[in-house]
Amino acid sequence: MKNRLARRESCLGVSLMFCCPQVVEMLGYLGIDWILLDCEHGSLTLADVEHMSIAAKSAGISVIGRPATNSSPDIMAMMDRGVDGVQVPHITTPEEARRAVDAVKFHPDGNRSLAIGTRSSKYGIGQTLSQYVSTSNTNSIVVLQIEDKEAIQNLDDILETTGVDVFFVGPSDLSQSLGYPGKASEAPVRNVIDQILTRISDAGKSSGIAGNIESIIERRSKGVSYLYTHLNTILENGVANMTHS
C-alpha cells in the first residue's frame, strides 16, 4: 500500500467503528485494499485494534488506525498494536504535523518509544531490535488529516513535512469548521475541498478523502489515491439494492 501511495495509485478502503474481525476478513476477501480502524469516533479499544489487525493480516489487506487524538501517546499506542500506519486527526500546524510523524517513526526519523515484544515487532521473534527499527521506519504509513480552517491557512507549510504519505481532507469536520456542518457537498465547502486537493496534488503529494460510493468513484477518476467509505454506507447500499430490485 505504501508503494502504491507513493506512485499515487488508488487504494480503496472501508472504515469500521466497532469490533468485528470477521468483517475485516470478509472485506479482504472481497478485494478491498485496506481498512480504517476508527478510534476517534468509534467504540474500538486498543485490544480491538490488535485483534482486527491480525484479521487484516490474515486476509492480506493493509490496516490504518485512526487514534482518538493527534497526541503522541495515542499514536504510539496504535502503532504498537501492529497497524500499518495511522491517520491522525486535526492537524492544523506544521508543528503538529512534525509531532505526528515523530510519534510514528523511531530515531533518527522520529522519537517513537521503542520496545521489543509488541505485535508490531513480531513479538521480538526472529529479528533484532535494530532490524525492527529499520523495517518500521521504512514501511510505516503516515496520513495527516486536514479538516480545520487553521489547517488551510497553514497548508503550504504542512505540505512540506517530511515522512508523510498522504494528506487527507476530512470533509465532515471541514464542513463544520467552514460554517456548513454536514454539508460537504454544497458549493462553498466543495469548492474549498477541491482547492485543497489541487494544492496537495500540485505539491507532488498523495491526497485522500472519504465519502459515499458515488463521490469516491468521482474522486478516484480525478487522481485522489487514498479513498474510503464507511461500512454502514456499503450495507445501506446493498440492502437498498436488494429491497428495491
Side-chain angles (χ1 to χ4, degrees):
M1 181 177 176
K2 186 180 180 75
N3 291 335
R4 289 174 62 186
L5 290 170
R7 296 190 297 266
R8 296 168 74 175
E9 298 175 5
S10 65
C11 296
L12 300 178
V14 175
S15 170
L16 294 99
M17 296 185 177
F18 57 89
C19 185
C20 189
Q22 293 89 342
V23 168
V24 173
E25 286 187 300
M26 285 188 280
L27 290 170
Y29 300 149
L30 286 167
I32 291 296
D33 297 313
W34 62 281
I35 57 164
L36 175 69
L37 302 181
D38 188 351
C39 290
E40 182 188 14
H41 297 293
S43 59
L44 291 168
T45 66
L46 288 173
D48 295 334
V49 169
E50 187 160 305
H51 295 152
M52 294 172 77
S53 296
I54 293 171
K57 186 75 171 179
S58 75
I61 59 174
S62 298
V63 55
I64 304 295
R66 176 151 67 184
T69 71
N70 64 2
S71 71
S72 294
D74 283 349
I75 295 169
M76 290 189 288
M78 295 208 80
M79 291 300 299
D80 281 346
R81 269 52 189 192
V83 298
D84 294 301
V86 288
Q87 180 176 314
V88 186
H90 294 290
I91 297 297
T92 60
T93 66
E95 292 77 19
E96 289 179 350
R98 185 67 253 164
R99 284 199 299 270
V101 175
D102 285 346
V104 173
K105 307 291 185 178
F106 296 114
H107 179 81
D109 300 333
N111 55 25
R112 176 181 167 192
S113 179
L114 178 59
I116 200 70
T118 62
R119 180 173 177 270
S120 59
S121 70
K122 297 182 180 178
Y123 312 104
I125 299 170
Q127 64 177 340
T128 66
L129 200 54
S130 61
Q131 288 171 331
Y132 166 49
V133 167
S134 177
T135 300
S136 180
N137 279 356
T138 299
N139 296 334
S140 54
I141 297 170
V142 179
V143 182
L144 301 185
Q145 292 193 197
I146 307 300
E147 51 189 344
D148 302 274
K149 283 198 295 185
E150 184 180 357
I152 299 172
Q153 297 163 2
N154 296 322
L155 185 58
D156 290 341
D157 291 332
I158 292 173
L159 291 175
E160 292 181 1
T161 308
T162 58
V164 180
D165 298 280
V166 177
F167 294 91
F168 174 88
V169 181
S172 297
D173 275 327
L174 183 60
S175 71
Q176 181 165 248
S177 183
L178 294 173
Y180 299 86
K183 299 178 180 179
S185 61
E186 292 201 1
V189 181
R190 186 179 177 88
N191 290 340
V192 172
I193 291 174
D194 288 342
Q195 291 167 13
I196 296 172
L197 292 172
T198 298
R199 290 171 67 182
I200 295 170
S201 179
D202 288 348
K205 311 293 184 178
S206 292
S207 61
I209 198 167
N212 59 33
I213 293 172
E214 291 77 15
S215 69
I216 289 301
I217 293 171
E218 177 191 359
R219 293 296 183 185
R220 185 182 189 183
S221 70
K222 294 182 177 180
V224 179
S225 51
Y226 180 91
L227 300 153
Y228 70 87
T229 192
H230 300 277
L231 179 64
N232 58 293
T233 301
I234 294 175
L235 292 173
E236 183 179 6
N237 276 266
V239 170
N241 288 335
M242 181 176 69
T243 56
H244 295 159
S245 60

